[in-house]
Amino acid sequence: MQAVKFWLSQRQNAFIQSIKTLIIIVCTWFVLGEYNQNAQLLGTFTAGFLSILRIGRNKKQQFLTIACSAVAMIASSGLALQFYHIPWLSNGLFIVLVFVAFYLRRFGGRFFFPPLFVLILYIIVLLLPRPSVMDLWEGIVLASAIVLFFTFIILPIDDRKQLNTHLQLLFKLSSEVLASFMLMPCESVVKDEECEEKERDLFKARQIAAQAFEIEHQRYIKVALQLRKDNSRLVNECLFLDKDPLLEQFYNFHYRMAKTFGMLFESCQQLIESNELNRQVQEDILKVANGLLLVLTLSKINHMKVTLVHMQQFKREYDYFSGYPFEIDLTQPESIHIFNFSLSLKRLIENFELWEIKGDE
């Protein structure tokens, strides 16, 4: 159930859009059934095309994309009927539409699908038995009205909210990895021969904890890469029509956080597998990890803003830990793992502070 919920959160916009497209096609089919078969067929095709043309950084740009595409479909289909019995003009217009469809996409994602769908509708009109102009235009106009209604009135979709959700998922996933790390047995390996049984139990418990952490760590790597891919798609295909400093800043923050979390969890993997850490070191490591866990679980992310909670407590825990109140020798592997863990925490704090400064500007 948790995996399904996570999958839906990661793809919420695509899931909502697919349902809305299906509803738009069904509604258009039944509404235009009151006219005739040609209007019903062409209107349903038009509704299906227009339903996925919600392209633009804001509602105004998305509305213009759908409206201009509908006007272009009306014009091209009308010309197809005018040139129905004049093959050389019909073929000439077809060549022009092909050129426009494949040339305009050079200007960005907003100009990729609309001309292509106009071209496809033109071909469909040519292949069908010649419908009347009024039937054709009534079908397209009614289909456009249904698409606009469902796109902007019924549960409108905002691509920016998906970026918010992706960062929430990153924080949630990172908190789950940290929670798994904090199950590390907080004991030291016993060297006394009389305590061999206790030593074996501790070694077994550490192995179980390391295996559980590795599973969460691998899951983090997989999902973090997928979130990065989804963010790139949203930015490059839908939201790049003109410069948007807030969007780019949010996207960069998400990337920096994911990369730094990756560094932190690599050091956590080494620490949880180490057998040479004494109890004091383990307790201090878990204390600062718990401070970070509070930040991740209680911080708020909304409207491309991040409100960081319990940051001051986390910083205090880190300041104490980074002073290395325990003995540390960088010639030893365990001390190097501790240093890498501390350095990763420092990078996280720097990213958090940078975000707080940028958010106040």
Side-chain angles (χ1 to χ4, degrees):
M1 186 64 184
Q2 184 179 5
V4 174
K5 185 178 179 180
F6 188 84
W7 184 87
L8 289 176
S9 298
Q10 188 179 347
R11 296 165 177 84
Q12 59 182 2
N13 278 2
F15 184 69
I16 294 172
Q17 181 63 55
S18 62
I19 293 177
K20 290 175 72 171
T21 298
L22 178 61
I23 293 174
I24 287 171
I25 291 174
V26 172
C27 287
T28 306
W29 178 263
F30 283 105
V31 169
L32 293 176
E34 299 295 328
Y35 293 91
N36 59 52
Q37 186 176 3
N38 287 332
Q40 186 182 43
L41 184 61
L42 292 172
T44 304
F45 269 113
T46 302
F49 293 154
L50 294 178
S51 66
I52 60 177
L53 294 183
R54 186 189 54 81
I55 303 174
R57 198 186 66 183
N58 51 46
K59 289 184 178 180
K60 180 180 178 181
Q61 292 176 344
Q62 294 172 6
F63 175 84
L64 288 175
T65 302
I66 295 175
C68 292
S69 299
V71 171
M73 289 179 178
I74 291 174
S76 67
S77 58
L79 290 174
L81 293 179
Q82 289 296 322
F83 302 151
Y84 204 85
H85 297 300
I86 312 176
W88 67 272
L89 277 177
S90 179
N91 294 336
L93 180 58
F94 174 75
I95 293 173
V96 171
L97 290 177
V98 170
F99 171 77
V100 171
F102 287 93
Y103 182 77
L104 283 184
R105 64 180 183 173
R106 296 179 53 171
F107 294 94
R110 194 178 179 188
F111 302 96
F112 181 76
F113 283 116
L116 190 60
F117 289 155
V118 171
L119 173 63
I120 294 174
L121 185 64
Y122 179 83
I123 296 173
I124 292 172
V125 173
L126 289 179
L127 294 176
L128 288 176
R130 185 175 183 180
S132 67
V133 176
M134 290 309 297
D135 288 341
L136 177 66
W137 287 353
E138 283 177 355
I140 295 177
V141 170
L142 284 174
S144 302
I146 292 172
V147 170
L148 291 173
F149 174 75
F150 278 98
T151 301
F152 298 105
I153 304 301
I154 304 299
L155 196 62
I157 299 174
D158 185 357
D159 287 308
R160 291 171 178 245
K161 290 182 179 179
Q162 187 67 63
L163 292 176
N164 287 335
T165 302
H166 285 174
L167 189 58
Q168 291 171 355
L169 290 174
L170 181 69
F171 275 30
K172 183 176 185 298
L173 189 62
S174 301
S175 64
E176 292 174 354
V177 180
L178 276 176
S180 176
F181 172 69
M182 293 178 66
L183 296 177
M184 175 179 66
C186 193
E187 293 286 348
S188 299
V189 175
V190 182
K191 299 299 183 181
D192 194 342
E193 295 181 358
E194 298 179 357
C195 301
E196 289 182 359
E197 183 177 353
K198 184 177 180 181
E199 181 179 343
R200 284 195 300 269
D201 292 341
L202 178 59
F203 182 74
K204 184 177 180 180
R206 190 177 295 279
Q207 277 189 321
I208 294 173
Q211 291 173 357
F213 177 82
E214 185 176 4
I215 292 174
E216 292 294 331
H217 186 200
Q218 293 301 317
R219 177 169 170 258
Y220 169 84
I221 294 174
K222 179 180 178 180
V223 178
L225 290 174
Q226 183 62 47
L227 292 179
R228 179 185 173 187
K229 180 181 177 181
D230 291 345
N231 286 344
S232 298
R233 178 184 56 79
L234 286 170
V235 173
N236 294 328
E237 293 183 6
C238 300
L239 307 177
F240 75 127
L241 300 176
D242 46 36
K243 297 292 289 183
D244 188 342
L246 179 60
L247 176 67
E248 293 178 359
Q249 173 182 301
F250 196 82
Y251 172 76
N252 290 334
F253 176 74
H254 185 285
Y255 172 73
R256 290 165 64 99
M257 293 303 301
K259 186 176 179 180
T260 310
F261 278 131
M263 295 170 54
L264 175 64
F265 297 147
E266 287 288 346
S267 61
C268 288
Q269 181 82 48
Q270 295 165 343
L271 288 172
I272 202 170
E273 293 175 350
S274 175
N275 294 320
E276 301 297 330
L277 298 176
N278 61 51
R279 185 180 183 87
Q280 179 190 357
V281 174
Q282 295 177 57
E283 290 178 348
D284 289 338
I285 288 174
L286 295 180
K287 188 179 296 185
V288 71
N290 184 63
L292 176 57
L293 182 62
L294 288 176
V295 174
L296 296 177
T297 54
L298 299 179
S299 295
K300 307 298 180 182
I301 304 168
N302 195 23
H303 300 298
M304 299 183 73
K305 297 287 185 180
V306 181
T307 304
L308 299 170
V309 183
H310 284 283
M311 268 303 296
Q312 295 305 318
Q313 177 182 345
F314 173 48
K315 289 179 182 177
R316 286 195 296 268
E317 295 290 352
Y318 173 73
D319 287 340
Y320 172 79
F321 178 80
S322 62
Y324 301 120
F326 40 81
E327 183 179 354
I328 186 168
D329 182 1
L330 291 180
T331 62
Q332 302 298 320
E334 289 70 25
S335 295
I336 295 176
H337 301 335
I338 295 171
F339 177 79
N340 290 336
F341 177 79
S342 177
L343 183 62
S344 300
L345 291 175
K346 180 180 179 182
R347 294 289 180 264
L348 275 175
I349 292 175
E350 290 173 352
N351 288 334
F352 282 136
E353 290 177 339
L354 179 64
W355 179 254
E356 286 179 325
I357 294 173
K358 293 290 185 181
D360 294 335
E361 291 180 352

